[in-house]
Amino acid sequence: MAEDTGNWCLIESDPGVFSGLIKGIGVNGVQVEEIYSIDRDTLEDLKPVHGLIFLFKWEGRNPANAPGSQAPIEYDNQQVFFAQQVITNACATQAILSILLNSSSIDLGEELTNFKAFVADFPAELKGHAISNSDLIRTVHNSFARSDPFINEMNDPSSKEKEDLFHFIAYTPVNGHLYELDGLQEGPRNHGPCAGDSWLDQVGPIIQARMAQYASGEIRFNLMAVVDDRIKVYQEKQRNYEAQLATLQQKEGPEAGGWLKGEIENLRQDIVKEEEKRLKQQRENKLRRHNFVPLIYELLKGLAQEGKLEDLIEEGRTRAKAELESAKQRKAAAAAATGGAGLADEDTDMYDD
């Protein structure tokens, strides 16, 4: 799907990974949240939303035949940062950069600010090569590789099995227009004007049209939003409510403002939950980098020496068959509920192309 420019590894499609990647390249005040519905209420709770990252199965179709292809490509719009993808395995990082580098409100940090200024006048292909040659972006991207000696990132030409490939694209508002940013196309697609947050209403049908083109039962889609730091959002709301409460109590006494007290308590709990979630994500990112094979080897050797290994293997096979059947039933039920297309659940493991 792209030239193999530099050594870029596969990374997992996970909000904790993407949030860590954003922080690693020096961007401040934003994070990535996984979302399971494109309805207005879901997106309203996450505002401000800077952009959406959409993952789907890449089937090698002509981009001109894809849903949304009627939206015109703007080949020479210098107001939109667009880079063609020249890096295998890096479309997730490129989709993230497409949102970050098109935002006027995100604190990019020194390194990415300098990068944006340096490539501002480059054509799309050279912007892609500039990304591939960025030591910072490549190093941070590769830091999220799984430490798994059994993952072979090279294609086996003798293999008869065809692996599924997945691709990431971005949707984000720029200068009052909704753009689709796909590094495999020749330029950004303009889906029309959008005032304020109205792009959140416009983008839903576009994504749903993409999902609808796949065969019935295909549920391997993933949607994530680049949003403001949730802890800072909650803290700002808490300060505002506390100021309102103080003013109200000065007028009506210390017993006034029961509903404000409730909102403040809810925000405190939201902050605690977000802090716990971040600790969990940090732990998971550390585990992704750790090689557990030596530990597993020693455990298996010990079980074999005690004569317990064969029984456990047979038990594992039985459980695996039961879980496989259960997964098939869940997939069929999900396909029936969504009319053949839906967002992937949080247990679906997918990687960028």
Side-chain angles (χ1 to χ4, degrees), residues 98-116:
S98 293
I99 294 172
L100 299 177
L101 294 172
N102 276 298
S103 173
S104 59
S105 59
I106 294 176
D107 178 5
L108 297 177
E110 182 179 359
E111 291 288 343
L112 207 57
T113 296
N114 292 339
F115 175 85
K116 182 178 180 179

Side-chain angles (χ1 to χ4, degrees), residues 8 25 50 73-87 90-104 106 108 111-134 137 169-175 177-190:
W8 292 68
I25 58 179
H50 300 285
I73 290 180
E74 297 182 349
Y75 296 94
D76 299 313
N77 187 342
Q78 295 300 313
Q79 301 302 311
V80 178
F81 178 91
F82 178 80
Q84 289 185 341
Q85 184 180 335
V86 300
I87 316 162
C91 62
T93 295
Q94 187 149 331
I96 293 170
L97 291 173
S98 293
I99 294 172
L100 299 177
L101 294 172
N102 276 298
S103 173
S104 59
I106 294 176
L108 297 177
E111 291 288 343
L112 207 57
T113 296
N114 292 339
F115 175 85
K116 182 178 180 179
F118 176 69
V119 303
D121 296 326
F122 287 12
E125 184 177 2
L126 281 183
K127 282 188 174 80
H129 283 290
I131 292 173
S132 75
N133 291 321
S134 169
I137 297 172
I169 61 176
Y171 293 94
T172 190
V174 185
N175 296 330
H177 288 257
L178 171 60
Y179 283 93
E180 174 187 314
L181 303 169
D182 179 352
L184 297 182
Q185 299 188 18
E186 296 180 351
R189 288 194 181 275
N190 187 341

